[in-house]
């Protein structure tokens, strides 16, 4: 299949992952310690915010779909 010029295919999940990787790289290069702690990684990746959002969704009656 040939994709012509101007025909951009976007994978939103992949773009989000690339953005998060970039944020981790920035955090790692600006950290005074040699490695980021697990807590700092969770902070950069906004893990707690995602958990709070999932908990809120469950309270509202939405079910998570797991593979």
């Amino acid at each position: 299949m040939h994709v012509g010029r101007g025909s951009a295919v976007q994978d939103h999940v992949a773009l989000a992952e690339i953005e998060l990787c970039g944020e981790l790289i920035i955090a790692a290069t600006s950290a005074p310690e040699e490695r980021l702690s697990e807590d700092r990684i969770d902070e950069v990746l906004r893990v707690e915010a995602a958990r709070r959002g999932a908990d809120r969704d469950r309270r509202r009656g939405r079910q998570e779909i797991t593979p």
Side-chain angles (χ1 to χ4, degrees), residues 7-8 17-18 25 30 40 52 60:
S7 299
E17 289 178 357
I18 291 167
I25 292 168
S30 64
R40 180 65 179 130
R52 283 193 304 269
R60 290 181 180 167

Side-chain angles (χ1 to χ4, degrees), residues 24-61:
L24 278 174
I25 292 168
I26 291 167
T29 58
S30 64
E33 61 272 3
E34 186 175 320
R35 294 177 180 229
L36 294 177
S37 69
E38 288 184 23
D39 289 338
R40 180 65 179 130
I41 292 169
D42 286 350
E43 180 184 331
V44 171
L45 297 179
R46 298 179 292 273
V47 170
E48 285 301 315
R51 284 185 187 143
R52 283 193 304 269
D55 290 343
R56 183 184 60 242
D57 289 347
R58 273 196 290 290
R59 284 193 305 270
R60 290 181 180 167

